[in-house]
Amino acid sequence: PLSFYFHYGYAKQPTTDQYQNSGDFQATMRLGQRLQIDYMFSINNTTNGVGFVDKNSSETSITFAKRNVNTIENVISTSYALSNKASVSLRARHYWSGAKNKIYYQLQQDGSLTEDPTYTENKDQNYNAFTVDMMLRWNFAPGSELVMAWKNAAYADQNIVETNYWSNMRNTWLNQSNSISVKVLYYIDFNSLKKKKTT
């Protein structure tokens, strides 16, 4: 009825000062024969990573940056079996990633990087995504199903890194969208239709 999973990892590049810590945790709980609840938490912190940030219109000047990137993801989901042919599920997910640039570089023709103290644009990034999905699935015939889904999505992207997790959660809800979809898949056995036509 209850299970846990945990993982931690550490990586370091021997030729640079970049290193990374990552980990994730997952718990699953079953309540009776019909209800299941899952929770997943993951974190990834990269220090002194180097990546692309900008280029000019003619692509003659390409800018990279040394940066710290922190990512946190929380997912909680539930599923309930209404019968042996129908079920309903609910899933909520919040994803946050913040990239704080420290040093800017210009990419050279030979692939090396040269520090560029003249680059002054703000290319920090603070990205949030919060989604809620609810789905009803009904297998009304062999190989056939009806799926009704509702999705709420909210996204936020800015160039000021917010390190407070709960502030990120609140700011995400400034831009929301909702959608409803219905999908029907119906399986037709062509051989059985052929037999009926023959008889």
Side-chain angles (χ1 to χ4, degrees):
L2 186 63
S3 63
F4 298 96
Y5 169 82
F6 173 78
H7 165 262
Y8 170 76
Y10 174 82
K12 187 180 188 308
Q13 290 193 359
T15 57
T16 69
D17 57 352
Q18 175 180 334
Y19 61 93
Q20 181 184 68
N21 290 279
S22 62
D24 53 87
F25 167 81
Q26 184 171 353
T28 299
M29 178 184 294
R30 285 185 173 273
L31 301 174
Q33 298 296 318
R34 295 176 180 264
L35 180 63
Q36 177 173 313
I37 302 174
D38 296 281
Y39 172 71
M40 188 273 290
F41 170 81
S42 65
I43 186 170
N44 188 304
N45 296 328
T46 300
T47 301
N48 297 327
V50 177
F52 168 82
V53 294
D54 198 11
K55 63 181 178 180
N56 60 9
S57 58
S58 60
E59 298 189 5
T60 57
S61 175
I62 300 177
T63 303
F64 277 65
K66 177 181 287 189
R67 58 199 178 188
N68 295 341
V69 181
N70 300 316
T71 302
I72 296 176
E73 182 180 18
N74 276 286
V75 181
I76 185 168
S77 58
T78 63
S79 59
Y80 184 80
L82 301 172
S83 67
N84 61 344
K85 295 183 178 180
S87 64
V88 61
S89 61
L90 178 66
R91 179 178 183 269
R93 172 182 179 264
H94 177 243
Y95 173 90
W96 167 71
S97 182
K100 182 69 174 178
N101 297 308
K102 301 159 67 175
I103 304 174
Y104 290 103
Y105 302 93
Q106 285 295 316
L107 179 65
Q108 305 301 307
Q109 291 293 331
D110 61 357
S112 63
L113 298 175
T114 302
E115 188 173 341
D116 183 8
T118 64
Y119 190 87
T120 58
E121 293 190 41
N122 181 6
K123 291 297 180 178
D124 294 346
Q125 188 174 30
N126 193 76
Y127 177 77
N128 282 275
F130 195 102
T131 57
V132 180
D133 301 273
M134 178 178 284
M135 182 179 299
L136 173 65
R137 187 185 301 272
W138 175 36
N139 298 103
F140 58 88
S144 305
E145 67 176 12
L146 168 69
V147 179
M148 300 179 62
W150 165 72
K151 181 172 184 176
N152 176 276
Y155 303 98
D157 192 4
Q158 59 189 42
N159 59 6
I160 300 176
V161 177
E162 174 58 70
T163 57
N164 186 291
Y165 183 79
W166 301 111
S167 295
N168 280 292
M169 285 274 288
R170 288 192 298 268
N171 295 335
T172 307
W173 291 101
L174 299 178
N175 184 23
Q176 295 186 52
S177 63
N178 289 274
S179 62
I180 297 176
S181 62
V182 179
K183 181 175 71 172
V184 179
L185 297 176
Y186 188 73
Y187 173 74
I188 299 176
D189 188 348
F190 180 77
N191 291 324
S192 64
L193 294 177
K194 188 176 180 181
K195 290 179 181 178
K196 289 181 180 179
K197 186 177 181 181
T198 304
T199 57

